[in-house]
């Protein structure tokens, strides 16, 4: 059974930074593309970033240059480094497993997701 557990969220001031983690189990982590998606209050799900099984990374325009996705296959862990945060980044952040290894978006409607970690940017 695929299990994804996100952590690292919290309250941060505008301009601040956070590092989100996603501990994965129940599948061969290194073989699959992974992504981060987020959902702001009252809004739909927004794709944020992805990393495929070869380590290629992809970002939404809204976060490009501010967020960095990475993975540690030895630890079965996905990361998202958030920097230069603004209030529009406030959302629940979820990690997700793609059904593909070689992918760019690495998120499908049927992708498994964790329970999420809340990021709140506020002064």
């Amino acid at each position: 059974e695929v299990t994804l557990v996100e952590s690292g969220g919290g309250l941060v001031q505008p301009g601040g930074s956070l590092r989100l983690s996603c501990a994965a189990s129940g599948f061969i982590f290194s073989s699959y593309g992974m992504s981060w998606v987020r959902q702001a209050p009252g809004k739909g799900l927004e794709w944020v970033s992805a990393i495929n099984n070869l380590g290629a990374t992809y970002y939404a325009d809204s976060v490009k240059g501010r967020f960095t996705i990475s993975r540690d296959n030895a630890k079965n862990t996905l990361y998202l480094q958030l920097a230069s945060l603004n209030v529009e980044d406030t959302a629940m952040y979820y990690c997700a497993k793609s059904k593909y290894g070689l992918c760019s978006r690495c998120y499908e409607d049927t992708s498994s997701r964790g329970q999420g970690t809340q990021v709140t940017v506020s002064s």
Side-chain angles (χ1 to χ4, degrees):
E1 179 186 359
V2 172
T3 302
L4 302 167
V5 180
E6 300 93 336
S7 62
L11 174 63
V12 62
Q13 292 186 337
S17 300
L18 282 173
R19 188 176 84 155
L20 308 184
S21 299
C22 171
S25 62
F27 63 102
I28 302 174
F29 181 73
S30 60
S31 295
Y32 292 91
M34 300 291 295
S35 62
W36 288 94
V37 297
R38 67 185 180 184
Q39 188 163 24
K43 297 188 176 181
L45 208 61
E46 177 188 13
W47 176 83
V48 174
S49 181
I51 183 167
N52 66 22
N53 64 334
L54 298 182
T57 58
Y58 305 87
Y59 298 94
D61 287 344
S62 59
V63 307
K64 199 172 294 182
R66 300 189 298 121
F67 291 8
T68 304
I69 191 171
S70 61
R71 63 192 301 162
D72 185 334
N73 291 333
K75 295 183 178 180
N76 289 351
T77 302
L78 178 72
Y79 301 101
L80 187 68
Q81 180 71 47
L82 289 64
S84 302
L85 285 161
N86 56 60
V87 294
E88 289 77 27
D89 296 315
T90 295
M92 184 72 79
Y93 284 72
Y94 302 91
C95 69
K97 171 192 170 293
S98 175
K99 59 183 177 182
Y100 305 109
L102 199 61
C103 48
S104 55
R105 182 179 173 85
C106 300
Y107 182 79
E108 304 85 39
D109 289 343
T110 56
S111 289
S112 298
R113 280 188 280 155
Q115 84 290 345
T117 187
Q118 178 68 39
V119 172
T120 302
V121 184
S122 175
S123 56

